[in-house]
C-alpha cells in the first residue's frame, strides 16, 4: 500500500471535507467564546447589582475628587458599562470613571475648563480606537511593569493627598506637592464633623470584610463600599445635618463638549496623556480579571482580546466625552467584584450600566443625602490601595525599584506624563548599566591562571580586561573562560593580541565557553557563526558551538557538519547523519535504495545514541524512518569491558579538563552535564531538595511518544514534579488483556491514578510520527512478501521483532481511520495534511478509548475525580491542538492560542 494515500475508499473524491466532515450546526461564538445571543442568567443579574452598588458611590466620589459635575460620573459609569461592555474584548471587565485618571482630569479642568476637557476625552477615545485597530495593545504592555505600577502608585498618592483635605473639611490644592505643603495648616483648622464621618467610612471599609462568623458571611454579601457610605450617611443625617452633601444639578443644565481652545501642543499632550493612562489601566485591569477568572473552578480558559478591548475603550471614551461624561477606563475594583460575584459573561457589565443610567434619573433624591466627606474617604482608600506593597516587593526582587521610585516621585512632583518620562529614562539607564557591567576575575588553580569574564564583553570593559590580563605572568598556563553571549570587536582584538603575545613568550592559552569545550584560539565574533542557534539549542542535536570552535582550530569553515573526529557526512566514520540546520542529510536516492536493516543491541553508544528510536530503514512500500532520517547502519557486536569504572561526581572543571580526550558522544554528554552542574543545578537545587523530602505530587499523567523532538516540559511550561510522564513509540495505551500486552504502561497508569492520584491524563500525539508511518506503509497484520521469501516465512520473521509486535497496538487506530462508522479526526478549520497526520490524530482518540478500558481509570472517571485530554503537537509549526470535551465525538482538535 503506498504511503500517505487515504485508504478509506476507492473514490478519491470521498476524501473531500464536504462528504466526510460533519458541518457544525452551532452558531459561531462571540468575542468572549459564547454565542452572540444576549441572555440574562441569575448569576449575571446578581453580579450586576453588586457592581452597581459599588459603582454608585465610587462614581460620585471620583467626580467630587476631580471637580467635575457629579452627574458626569454617573453618566461615564453608564456609558462604560453599556458601550465598553458590549464592544470590549474582556467579557468580565467593568469600565467607568477611573481613579487613575483623577489627577489628570482634575488638572485639565483647571487649565481648560470642563467643556474643553470633554472634547479632550473625545480625542483620547479616537486615538485609542486607532491604536486598537493597529493592534498595538500588546506593544503598550511592553513598557516596564515598574514604570506602569509606579505611575499608578504616584497617581494613588496624589489622590490620597487631595482627598485628605476634603475629609478634614477643607478644599484640595491644585497639585500633590501643594496639597502636602498645605496639610499642616489644614490640621490646624479641622472641622469636627467631616473627620468623624471620614473615619467611620474608612473603619467600615477596612473592617467589613473581616467580620467573623455566620453573621459576617451574611453581611459580606453587601459590598463594603456601599456599607461604609450608608453607615456614614445615616450618622450624618442624625449627628451632622449641616455637613456638606452631594448636590446633583438638573440635567437641563448639563454641559456638553465644545471645540477645544488653547495651545495646540498642550491640547495634544493632554489627549496623549488621557489615552496613555486610560489604556494602560484598562489593559492591566483586563489581565488581572483574566487571572481571577482562571482561578475559578470550571473556567473555560477564555482570555481577553486586548486589541478589541482597546477599541471598545476608545468608543466608550468617545461617547462619554460627546455626552459630557468623565473619561472611562477599566477598573480593577469593579472588575474584581464582578468576577467574585459569580458573573459568567458580559451581561452583568451591561446591566450594571443600565442600573447606573436608571439611578442617574430616578434616585437623585437618595444620592443627595450622601456626605462629601464619606465619598472623599472612599476615594482616598482607593488611592492608597493603588500603592501596592506586593508590586513594590516584586519590583525590588527584580532590581527595578529605582525606576519604580523615580516614576512615583515624578508623577507626584511634576505630573503623569513627566513622571512616566523620568521613569523611562531611569529604566533605560539601569538597563545600560547592567549591559555594560562585566565581572572579570582571575585566580590561580594549581599553577594554571584562570580568567573568567561573566557578562557582555564590550569596549567599556576593555580597560578592566587589559588590566586583568596583564596580571598573568609571562610563560604561564592560562585558561580564559568567556561566559557571555556577546563580544564586540574591541574586546576581541584585546584578547587576540594578548593571546598572540602570551604564546610567543612560551605560555599556553585555552579558551572555553559555557559548554566547557576548549579551543586553541579565540573565535572572531561574526553574525554567521551562530545563525543556527535558537532557543533550546542545548537540548537539540545542534553542534553550532562545536562547529565554530572546530573551524577556529582548523581554519575551515564554521559550517562543517558533525564532530571534529568524523569524516564526511555519510561516510563510514560519520556516527549518524543529523537533521537540522547545518547538517548534511543523505540524498533521496541513497535513502530509498538503502536495504532494510535492524539495529544490533550491542551497537556502539556513539552510533546509536542520536537515533535510538528510529530502527526502521526508509524504503519504498516499507515502514518509513521516524523523524525522517535514515536508519543507523548495523555494526558488529562489541564485547563489554570486564572492568567497571566507578562513577564520580561531575564537576565543571573535571568536564572541561577531560573534554578534549573524549569521543564526540561522550564529550557532548560530559559537556551537557557540566553545564547543568554549573548553570542550572544551583537554581533548582532547593526545589529538588523539597521534592526529595516531600515526594512527588504530580497533577497530570502525560502519555506521549518517545520522539526526541517532543520536550514535554517545554511544551507544557512545566517543571520538576509537575508531570508524571510515560513515553513509548507511538504513544500507545495497550488494552488490558490484549495480545502481546505490555504491563509497563498499565502499571504506570495504575500507579499514577491510584497511588499518585493525578487529576488528569493527557495523551499527546505529534506530527511526522514514525510509528504511524510504519502502520500505514506495512500494517502489522498485513503479510509482506519480499523477493525470494515465502509469505509465511516473511510474516513470521516480521512478527518476531519487538518493534513489529509493539506496533500491533496501533492496529485499532488504523481500523478506526478506515472505518465508515467514525467521524474523521481533523484539526479545526482544516483537513489533515495527509494520511499520516490523519492517523496521528485518530490514534490520540483511539488511545483515549483504551484508557477508559482500564479499571482504575474507569473508576476515577465514574467518581468525577479524573479528566482525560487529547492533544496533538505539530512539530514543524510548534503549535499545540487540544481535543475538547464538546468536540471529542466529532474528533475536532482546536488550536491553542497564546495567552
Amino acid at each position: 500500500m503506498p504511503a500517505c494515500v487515504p485508504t478509506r475508499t476507492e473514490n478519491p473524491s470521498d476524501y473531500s471535507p464536504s462528504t466526510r466532515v460533519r458541518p457544525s450546526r452551532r452558531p459561531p461564538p462571540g468575542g468572549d467564546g459564547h454565542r452572540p445571543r444576549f441572555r440574562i442568567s441569575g448569576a449575571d443579574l446578581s453580579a450586576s447589582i453588586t457592581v452597581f452598588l459599588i459603582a454608585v458611590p465610587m462614581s460620585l466620589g471620583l467626580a467630587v475628587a476631580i471637580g467635575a459635575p457629579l452627574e458626569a460620573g454617573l453618566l461615564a459609569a453608564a456609558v462604560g458599562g453599556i458601550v465598553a461592555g458590549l464592544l470590549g474584548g474582556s467579557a468580565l471587565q467593568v469600565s467607568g470613571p477611573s481613579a487613575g485618571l483623577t489627577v489628570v482630569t482634575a488638572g485639565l479642568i483647571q487649565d481648560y475648563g470642563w467643556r474643553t476637557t470633554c472634547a479632550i476625552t473625545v480625542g483620547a477615545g479616537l486615538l485609542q480606537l486607532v491604536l486598537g485597530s493597529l493592534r498595538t495593545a500588546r506593544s503598550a504592555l511592553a513598557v516596564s511593569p515598574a514604570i506602569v505600577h509606579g505611575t499608578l502608585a504616584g497617581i494613588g498618592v496624589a489622590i490620597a493627598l487631595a482627598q485628605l483635605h476634603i475629609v478634614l473639611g477643607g478644599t484640595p490644592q491644585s497639585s500633590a506637592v501643594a496639597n502636602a505643603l498645605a496639610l499642616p495648616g489644614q490640621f490646624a483648622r479641622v472641622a469636627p464633623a467631616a473627620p468623624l464621618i471620614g473615619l467611620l467610612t474608612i473603619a467600615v471599609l477596612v473592617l467589613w470584610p473581616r467580620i467573623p462568623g455566620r453573621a459576617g458571611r451574611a453581611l459580606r454579601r453587601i459590598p463594603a463600599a456601599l456599607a461604609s457610605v450608608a453607615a456614614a450617611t445615616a450618622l450624618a443625617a442624625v449627628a451632622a445635618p449641616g455637613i456638606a452633601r452631594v448636590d446633583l444639578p438638573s440635567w437641563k443644565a448639563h454641559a456638553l463638549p465644545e471645540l477645544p481652545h488653547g495651545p495646540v501642543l498642550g491640547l495634544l499632550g493632554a489627549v496623549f496623556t488621557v489615552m496613555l493612562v486610560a489604556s494602560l489601566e484598562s489593559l492591566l485591569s483586563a489581565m488581572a480579571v483574566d487571572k481571577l477568572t482562571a482561578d475559578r473552578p470550571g473556567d473555560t480558559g477564555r482570555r481577553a482580546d486586548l486589541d478589541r478591548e482597546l477599541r471598545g475603550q476608545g468608543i466608550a471614551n468617545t461617547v462619554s466625552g460627546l455626552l459630557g461624561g468623565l473619561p472611562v477606563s477599566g477598573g480593577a475594583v469593579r472588575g474584581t467584584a464582578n468576577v467574585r460575584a459569580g458573573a459568567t459573561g458580559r451581561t452583568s457589565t451591561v446591566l450594571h450600566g443600565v442600573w447606573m443610567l436608571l439611578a442617574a434619573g430616578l434616585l437623585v433624591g437618595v444620592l443627595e443625602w450622601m456626605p462629601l466627606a464619606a465619598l472623599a474617604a472612599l476615594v482616598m482608600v482607593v488611592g492608597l490601595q493603588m500603592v501596592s506593597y506586593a508590586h513594590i516587593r516584586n519590583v525590588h526582587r527584580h532590581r527595578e525599584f529605582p525606576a519604580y521610585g523615580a516614576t512615583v516621585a515624578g508623577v507626584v512632583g511634576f505630573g503623569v506624563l513627566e513622571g512616566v518620562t523620568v521613569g523611562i529614562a531611569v529604566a533605560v539607564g539601569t538597563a545600560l548599566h547592567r549591559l555594560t557591567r562585566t565581572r572579570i576575575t582571575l585566580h590561580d588553580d594549581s599553577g594554571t591562571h584562570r580568567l573568567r569574564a561573566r557578562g557582555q564583553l564590550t569596549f567599556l570593559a576593555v580597560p578592566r580586561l587589559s588590566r586583568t590580563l596583564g596580571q598573568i605572568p609571562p610563560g604561564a598556563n592560562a585558561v580564559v573562560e568567556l561566559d557571555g553571549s556577546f563580544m564586540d570587536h574591541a574586546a576581541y582584538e584585546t584578547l587576540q593580541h594578548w593571546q598572540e603575545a602570551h604564546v610567543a613568550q612560551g605560555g599556553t592559552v585555552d579558551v572555553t565557553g559555557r559548554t566547557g569545550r576548549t579551543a586553541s584560539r579565540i573565535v572572531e565574533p561574526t553574525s554567521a557563526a551562530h545563525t543556527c542557534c535558537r532557543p533550546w539549542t542545548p537540548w537539540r542535536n545542534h553542534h553550532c558551538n562545536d562547529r565554530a570552535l572546530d573551524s577556529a582550530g582548523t581554519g575551515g569553515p564554521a559550517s562543517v557538519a558533525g564532530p571534529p573526529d568524523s569524516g564526511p557526512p555519510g561516510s563510514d566514520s560519520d556516527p549518524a547523519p543529523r537533521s537540522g540546520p547545518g547538517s548534511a542529510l543523505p540524498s533521496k536516492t541513497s535513502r530509498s535504495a538503502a536495504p532494510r536493516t535492524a539495529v544490533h543491541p550491542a551497537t556502539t553508544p556513539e552510533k546509536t545514541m542520536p537515533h535510538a528510536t528510529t530502527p526502521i530503514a526508509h524504503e519504498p512500500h516499507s515502514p518509513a524512518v521516524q523523524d525522517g532520517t535514515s536508519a543507523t547502519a548495523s555494526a558488529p557486536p562489541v564485547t563489554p569491558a570486564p572492568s567497571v569504572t566507578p562513577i564520580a561526581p561531575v564537576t565543571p572543571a573535571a568536564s572541561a579538563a577531560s573534554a578534549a580526550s573524549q569521543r564526540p558522544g561522550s564529550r557532548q554528554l560530559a559537556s551537557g552535564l557540566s553545564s547543568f552542574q554549573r548553570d542550572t543545578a544551583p537554581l533548582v537545587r532547593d526545589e529538588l531538595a523539597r521534592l526529595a523530602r516531600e515526594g512527588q505530587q504530580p497533577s497530570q499523567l502525560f502519555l506521549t511518544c518517545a520522539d526526541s523532538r517532543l520536550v514535554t516540559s517545554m511544551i507544557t511550561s512545566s517543571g520538576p514534579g509537575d508531570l508524571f510522564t510515560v513515553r513509548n513509540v507511538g504513544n500507545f495505551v495497550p488494552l488490558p488483556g490484549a495480545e502481546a500486552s505490555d504491563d509497563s504502561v498499565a502499571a504506570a497508569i495504575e500507579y499514577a491514578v491510584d497511588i499518585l492520584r493525578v487529576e488528569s491524563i493527557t495523551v499527546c500525539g505529534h506530527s511526522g510520527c514514525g510509528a504511524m508511518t510504519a502502520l500505514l506503509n506495512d500494517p502489522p497484520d498485513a503479510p509482506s512478501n519480499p523477493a525470494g521469501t515465502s509469505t509465511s516465512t516473511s510474516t513470521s520473521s516480521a512478527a518476531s521483532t519487538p518493534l513489529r509486535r509493539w506496533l500491533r497496538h496501533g492496529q485499532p487506530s488504523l481500523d478506526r481511520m478506515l472505518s465508515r462508522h467514525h467521524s474523521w479526526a481533523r484539526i479545526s478549520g482544516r483537513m489533515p495534511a495527509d494520511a499520516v497526520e490523519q492517523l496521528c490524530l485518530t490514534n490520540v482518540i483511539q488511545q483515549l478509548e483504551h484508557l477508559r478500558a482500564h479499571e482504575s481509570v474507569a473508576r476515577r472517571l465514574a467518581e468525577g475525580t479524573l479528566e482525560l485530554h487529547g492533544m496533538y503537537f505539530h512539530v514543524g509549526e510548534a503549535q499545540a491542538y487540544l481535543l475538547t470535551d464538546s468536540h471529542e465525538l466529532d474528533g475536532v482538535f482546536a488550536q491553542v492560542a497564546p495567552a
Side-chain angles (χ1 to χ4, degrees), residues 17-18 21 39 44 111 193 245 298 304 430 509 536 599 648 731 788 793 821 833:
S18 61
V21 178
R39 294 182 298 178
D44 287 333
D111 294 339
R245 302 177 189 274
T430 304
V509 177
W536 302 96
V599 177
N731 48 278
T793 303
H821 303 293

Side-chain angles (χ1 to χ4, degrees), residues 78-104:
V79 171
I82 297 174
V83 177
L86 286 174
L87 303 178
S90 178
L92 299 181
Q93 173 158 262
V94 183
S95 301
S98 166
L101 289 165
T102 301
V103 177
V104 177

